[in-house]
Amino acid sequence: MPPTNARPPGIHVVIGIAIGIAVGIACGSAVKRGPAERLMQGVSGADASIEQACELTARRCTACHDIDRVLYANPSEPSHWRNYIGRMRRMRGSGISIQDGDVILRCLVARSFGEAGLRELDDGP
């Protein structure tokens, strides 16, 4: 039987519970985002072709590793993504064709370098 002189929880307990709920909601919404949505998070004003490119990127990249590996990569110029994709494409079982590699490149360059990076890609080496 509980004690009859029990006090209601103090304000610090109530605040702690509220913070816990807020963190849980914030983390829960981040976890629910799929890899393609997480890739698109870094792209502002992208057209439908970039969205589709990021969907393909998410499918191909997560076949072998977690999308975080892509999200935390920090290439210093767009051509670095081309080299990286080439290495991944040659991995057995990657499923990345040459055409897929070109599409994936557009997503990753848009994400890392924006419109300026895409223009640099389009202008060629």
Side-chain angles (χ1 to χ4, degrees):
M1 187 151 114
T4 57
N5 62 352
R7 292 186 294 153
I11 189 71
H12 64 282
V13 173
V14 173
I15 291 173
I17 291 170
I19 290 172
I21 290 170
V23 168
I25 290 169
C27 291
S29 64
V31 171
K32 291 178 185 175
R33 283 193 305 255
E37 292 170 316
R38 292 179 67 201
L39 280 169
M40 287 300 299
Q41 192 173 11
V43 182
S44 61
D47 63 20
S49 69
I50 296 298
E51 289 182 33
Q52 292 170 348
C54 287
E55 288 172 12
L56 175 68
T57 302
R59 281 196 311 274
R60 293 296 188 246
C61 293
T62 60
C64 297
H65 50 78
D66 191 88
I67 198 65
D68 286 340
R69 188 167 176 183
V70 176
L71 296 173
Y72 296 124
N74 192 19
S76 59
E77 57 187 68
S79 65
H80 290 169
W81 274 127
R82 185 184 314 275
N83 297 335
Y84 190 78
I85 293 165
R87 284 195 319 270
M88 294 298 106
R89 192 179 67 72
R90 291 186 294 274
M91 299 296 287
R92 186 182 328 179
S94 76
I96 301 173
S97 67
I98 292 172
Q99 293 81 14
D100 284 350
D102 292 340
V103 173
I104 291 168
L105 178 62
R106 294 197 66 77
C107 168
L108 297 177
V109 167
R111 184 178 200 295
S112 298
F113 302 100
E115 288 295 322
L118 289 172
R119 279 192 301 278
E120 185 178 322
L121 254 182
D122 293 339
D123 291 342

